[in-house]
Amino acid sequence: MLRRPTPPPAEATGTPRDVEALERVIEVLDSGVVDDREAFRRTTETLVRELALSYGAIWVPEGDRFDLLGQYGPLVQKMAGAPGSRGEGLPRGGAAAGFGGVAASTGRPVLVGPDSDRNSCLRWEAAARGGATQGCILPVLEGGTVVALLEYYGSAPSPSSAVAPASGRPSAGWSPTPAARPWPAPPCRRPSTTAAR
């Protein structure tokens, strides 16, 4: 009987570790979380580590702003001077909200890259100064309401790096052709907690 050769680790082949990273997230969440906020923290920390991202942060709504719930990765110190990182939170809208405000107001992911206007988002400017070359801000929606923003920056190619990031605009959404998909795909939607069990 022939055996399949054991494939080399993803790092050795240079292939993205997106599937392995998602498997690790599932393992981490299956080990138990007490609430949504802990799930956001553990998911973000795991993705930053498994995908070798430079930075990941979670923002949660508090009144008229988003507060920083947690941040992970080697860029944390470089992001310390960026708006929102000093405990003041980020406004929900307006020019001061940057790309996070765009994601919150549109309910769609915002992809950023080298051509994105750094003056439009001082957080992106800080990440780019720290070496990030791309990123995304993902709104997490529940019943049409943004319940969190997930902010990621990195310097290595993303899992679907065949697509160039937008100029800090909401992504166009999902495409059935893998090479045309923006990374990540449509807004993250959590299942309704009122669904029948």
Side-chain angles (χ1 to χ4, degrees), residues 67-130:
D67 284 346
L68 184 61
L69 179 65
Q71 54 185 340
Y72 307 93
L75 279 186
V76 168
Q77 292 298 335
K78 296 204 184 245
M79 296 295 287
S85 296
R86 300 175 297 266
E88 75 279 16
L90 291 175
R92 282 185 175 256
F99 296 146
V102 173
S105 65
T106 64
R108 300 190 60 82
V110 174
L111 307 177
V112 295
D115 295 333
S116 299
D117 181 9
R118 291 184 185 188
N119 294 322
S120 295
C121 183
L122 298 178
R123 292 191 59 76
W124 168 237
E125 178 185 35
R129 274 196 323 256

Side-chain angles (χ1 to χ4, degrees), residues 38-61:
E38 182 183 1
F40 293 143
R41 283 198 279 296
R42 295 188 69 191
T43 297
T44 300
E45 179 181 26
T46 302
L47 287 175
V48 167
R49 182 181 58 250
E50 296 296 318
L51 294 173
L53 297 172
S54 303
Y55 183 78
I58 308 107
W59 298 87
V60 293

Side-chain angles (χ1 to χ4, degrees), residues 183-196:
W183 178 76
C188 301
R189 297 187 192 276
R190 294 189 344 205
S192 170
T193 55
T194 60

